[in-house]
Amino acid sequence: STCSCPLGDQCPSPGKHPRIGGGVKSASSDADQVRRWWAQWPDAWIGVATGAPSGVWVLDIDSKAPDEESFDGWAALQFWQQQHGELDTLRSATGGGGLHLWFRMPADRDVGNRQRLRVDGEESPRSGVDVRGTGGYVVAPPSGHKSGRSYVFEPTNRGPCDAPAWLLELVAPQAVEHHFEAPSVALDAADRERRYAQRVLDGAVQA
């Protein structure tokens, strides 16, 4: 129940702060480095850097709602699955009674971190769902939790899958490109008027 961070046993999220200097920025996939860390801190829990470093991002479903006007994470997940079907990918139960859904990073966009994801567009209520992408991290099984429970992967034969298009648009919407067409000029007047219109058009193009 005591955290390695400076707050110690006063920390509200014990066990979720990286022991290594630099935090998630110092994460490593080098096996020798990881062995040295385990030798130094054999009781440490496991943190996975999400996003570009690992190639996976996580939809973090919290059992609590951020406020009275918001959905809790389970209600938001139920709403999405009723609308779009089951999110079939690698899942892990969190020690706090929530759920992590693990997805492969897409090739066409970067998934970053987002807090209190809105359930259906910018005008909809927020939810107890966070996005852990590039620059973030999650605690992974079989790590423990302050509740006394542990993080556990659900039985499955599959690894992280590609997220469906609707979910990617919700968590990492792509900017819409606007294409503007130059105004057209009808040159069916007399020759002198036609030359004048051409000069106006040329000037507009140069501008």
Side-chain angles (χ1 to χ4, degrees):
S1 62
T2 297
C3 191
S4 62
C5 79
L7 293 178
D9 57 7
Q10 301 300 312
C11 176
S13 300
K16 293 189 176 182
H17 298 101
R19 287 180 176 268
I20 55 177
V24 68
K25 293 181 180 179
S26 298
S28 177
S29 59
D30 179 80
D32 290 335
Q33 175 63 75
V34 173
R35 290 190 188 97
R36 287 193 293 271
W37 284 332
W38 281 124
Q40 185 174 358
W41 301 299
D43 60 342
W45 294 345
I46 301 171
V48 174
T50 48
S54 61
V56 297
W57 65 274
V58 172
L59 199 64
D60 185 357
I61 310 296
D62 196 328
S63 58
K64 302 183 184 71
D67 54 56
E68 293 181 355
E69 298 179 353
S70 302
F71 284 72
D72 66 56
W74 288 108
L77 179 61
Q78 182 181 26
F79 172 81
W80 292 326
Q81 293 191 141
Q82 286 176 342
Q83 297 290 316
H84 304 284
E86 183 180 1
L87 287 169
D88 189 16
T89 191
L90 180 65
R91 296 178 175 216
S92 59
T94 71
L99 180 70
H100 285 167
L101 282 75
W102 300 69
F103 296 96
R104 281 196 293 255
M105 282 289 283
D108 64 340
R109 72 190 79 188
D110 182 49
V111 177
N113 295 310
R114 297 186 70 177
Q115 305 290 322
R116 301 179 179 182
L117 195 65
R118 293 189 184 275
V119 294
D120 191 23
E122 290 304 316
E123 301 302 320
S124 63
R126 293 191 180 277
S127 70
V129 177
D130 296 333
V131 181
R132 310 296 183 187
T134 301
Y137 66 96
V138 293
V139 177
S143 300
H145 188 266
K146 65 179 181 180
S147 65
R149 297 187 293 268
S150 297
Y151 288 72
V152 180
F153 280 118
E154 293 186 359
T156 180
N157 293 323
R158 69 176 62 82
C161 299
D162 293 326
W166 68 263
L167 181 58
L168 285 178
E169 195 58 29
L170 190 67
V171 304
Q174 289 183 310
V176 178
E177 295 185 7
H178 297 282
H179 299 280
F180 298 96
E181 296 183 1
S184 59
V185 177
L187 300 178
D188 55 356
D191 186 57
R192 183 171 56 184
E193 294 172 331
R194 185 179 297 113
R195 289 197 301 269
Y196 173 77
Q198 188 63 54
R199 286 198 302 274
V200 171
L201 180 60
D202 291 343
V205 170
Q206 291 298 320

